[in-house]
Amino acid sequence: MIEVVKVSDKKGLKAFIDFPHALYAQDVNYVPELFIAQRDLLSPGKHPFYEHSQIQLFLAYQNKEIVGRIAAINNTNHNKTYEVTDGFFGFFDCINDQEVAGQLFNAAEAWLKAKGLTKVLGPANFSTNEVCGLLIDGFDGPPVAMMPYNAPYYLNLLEAIGFKKNVDLRAYRYTAGNYSERSVRLMEGIEERLKRNDITLRTINLKNFAAESAAIREVYNKAWDKNLGFVPMTDKEFDYTAKDLKMVLDPEFCILAEQHGKIVGFALAIPDINQILIKIKRGRLLPTGLFKLLLNKKKIDGIRILLLGVVDGYRKMGIEACLYGRIIKHFKARNMKYAEASWTLDHNDMINKPIEDIGGQLYRKYRILEKAI
């Protein structure tokens, strides 16, 4: 017998966070999330998402053992932005059992329907501003920092429930020596041309992080306004994310383009911290995880190009190529082994073609699915 219950206390939250560790215990590609980060993310009062929206966590039990989990998400800012009645699901993990998956989604959809929502999309934790997408192609290695991971059978489970493709997301990979240096050579000429329009590139100033972060937030909300399901981050949400990213940030991998002191574009690549997290058992920093984190941070030899955006009116001027070029130049100087550019929309040729032109190889795909409820 399968029983699906709402998570309503700290004990249930701990079980919710820890379930994937058991599910993927034999999977060498699984990377545990840090427990304290997941706990704060899923705790009203800890994360600013809860100031405008709600979630409900569910656990599925079979013979008194946890066999699945899911979060039903009512992102009211998303619905106000697009004037829709969409719900989301996230944090979905499940054994390979259609009945268990069905029961989990029955519970999540009932909760969403009670909120007056008529469609469910996902996976998204909590939106496309955070970790999102179902891995559908490229199961040959661990995910990079802040990218999702799941077993191959998940897609079959979801399609059997009635989910269909909404859109696919792409991840590209560069390896050392296997990328085009043409962009780096062209970059210098393009930068000179941009200077004639008073557009210059520089690295982020961490000593003035608060002001820099506020300016980047404005660009982020403008540059991504037409992206898939994009919802502008509130000031508190952006600051929360920026504070986390600052802990792993290499200033040379955060490049700003500005004109007359106003930021008009930026690119951010972060170290692939998953190289360390994969070795931290059950995502616990104590007693030895913190030591591993601090000891190995400088040994990371891969990056994820997480964000690259230019505000409308400044696109197709060559700024994007210069931002990529700067990152590649530093990537080479640091003798790194690989970089992932992710994610991009499957149909976004304006972004995908430049990535491919400088040697990016499409190696993973993710999917956002949808279903009427």
Side-chain angles (χ1 to χ4, degrees):
M1 180 180 176
I2 299 164
E3 183 185 14
V4 176
V5 300
K6 290 181 178 179
V7 172
S8 58
D9 56 22
K10 290 182 179 179
K11 182 180 178 181
L13 179 59
K14 178 178 177 296
F16 186 92
I17 295 170
D18 283 343
F19 170 64
H21 307 326
L23 183 66
Y24 291 103
Q26 305 304 316
D27 190 332
V28 296
N29 293 326
Y30 170 69
V31 179
E33 298 276 6
L34 285 178
F35 177 82
I36 56 173
Q38 289 286 284
R39 181 196 62 199
D40 288 355
L41 185 65
L42 294 169
S43 298
K46 293 279 189 178
H47 193 284
F49 175 82
Y50 300 99
E51 293 182 5
H52 57 77
S53 298
Q54 310 87 37
I55 70 170
Q56 178 60 59
L57 310 181
F58 296 92
L59 285 169
Y61 287 84
Q62 190 173 47
N63 299 324
K64 298 183 178 180
E65 288 201 7
I66 298 174
V67 289
R69 70 173 192 172
I70 198 170
I73 302 163
N74 178 23
N75 188 331
T76 56
N77 275 5
H78 168 91
N79 289 336
K80 287 177 182 177
T81 299
Y82 293 98
E83 297 182 347
V84 292
T85 52
D86 294 343
F88 290 88
F89 76 90
F91 303 93
F92 172 68
D93 285 293
C94 182
I95 64 171
N96 192 5
D97 186 299
Q98 194 64 57
E99 186 179 359
V100 173
Q103 295 273 15
L104 281 166
F105 275 95
N106 285 344
E109 290 170 15
W111 187 87
L112 294 171
K113 279 184 180 180
K115 299 287 183 183
L117 306 177
T118 59
K119 182 195 287 187
V120 58
L121 299 103
N125 307 342
F126 304 115
S127 70
T128 57
N129 285 324
E130 288 86 24
V131 176
C132 65
L134 186 81
L135 179 63
I136 60 170
D137 185 26
F139 297 89
D140 54 345
V144 301
M146 299 175 67
M147 287 297 284
Y149 180 76
N150 54 265
Y153 61 80
Y154 278 37
L155 182 60
N156 290 335
L157 292 178
L158 292 172
E159 288 180 338
I161 292 169
F163 278 92
K164 299 184 183 301
K165 172 183 171 180
N166 176 278
V167 71
D168 283 352
L169 315 174
R170 296 184 176 193
Y172 289 89
R173 186 177 178 91
Y174 304 89
T175 53
N178 189 32
Y179 56 82
S180 171
E181 293 200 33
R182 181 171 175 269
S183 62
V184 179
R185 293 194 300 269
L186 289 175
M187 177 188 68
E188 294 178 359
I190 296 173
E191 283 198 35
E192 285 301 317
R193 190 178 73 225
L194 290 173
K195 283 180 182 178
R196 294 197 287 271
N197 290 316
D198 296 315
I199 298 172
T200 56
L201 274 68
R202 65 175 176 84
T203 57
I204 192 171
N205 180 3
L206 291 182
K207 292 182 180 179
N208 194 25
F209 185 74
E212 297 274 68
S213 178
I216 290 172
R217 179 180 67 236
E218 185 177 347
V219 174
Y220 176 79
N221 283 338
K222 288 181 179 178
W224 273 264
D225 64 345
K226 295 179 177 63
N227 212 341
L228 167 75
F230 176 77
V231 178
M233 282 190 175
T234 67
D235 291 358
K236 289 183 179 179
E237 285 175 320
F238 193 92
D239 291 345
Y240 186 100
T241 302
K243 183 180 177 182
D244 282 350
L245 290 175
K246 186 183 179 183
M247 292 189 290
V248 298
L249 190 65
D250 177 343
E252 296 294 329
F253 281 127
C254 187
I255 317 297
L256 312 179
E258 60 183 5
Q259 184 183 52
H260 308 308
K262 179 183 177 182
I263 298 174
V264 296
F266 76 98
L268 170 65
I270 58 173
D272 184 11
I273 197 75
N274 280 8
Q275 289 185 10
I276 302 172
L277 297 185
I278 199 169
K279 301 173 183 176
I280 298 179
K281 190 175 182 181
R282 300 176 68 80
R284 265 55 172 191
L285 286 177
L286 299 175
T288 60
L290 185 59
F291 176 73
K292 290 178 182 177
L293 192 64
L294 296 174
L295 183 67
N296 294 304
K297 187 176 176 182
K298 292 183 178 180
K299 297 179 182 178
I300 295 174
D301 58 7
I303 59 170
R304 177 187 171 201
I305 304 171
L306 176 66
L307 296 169
L308 191 149
V310 176
V311 299
D312 198 17
Y314 291 86
R315 294 166 187 162
K316 298 184 179 181
M317 295 176 65
I319 296 173
E320 296 90 343
C322 291
L323 292 170
Y324 268 119
R326 286 279 188 110
I327 288 175
I328 289 173
K329 194 172 182 179
H330 188 53
F331 173 89
K332 184 178 179 181
R334 288 279 307 275
N335 293 315
M336 290 194 152
K337 292 183 178 179
Y338 67 87
E340 177 176 301
S342 60
W343 46 265
T344 69
L345 292 171
D346 201 37
H347 56 268
N348 191 346
D349 293 336
M350 191 168 71
I351 292 295
N352 295 333
K353 189 177 186 303
I355 292 174
E356 292 167 359
D357 286 347
I358 58 177
Q361 299 292 317
L362 175 62
Y363 85 122
R364 283 182 184 155
K365 276 198 173 186
Y366 303 82
R367 181 165 293 173
I368 301 292
L369 299 109
E370 65 174 38
K371 176 189 174 187
I373 55 173

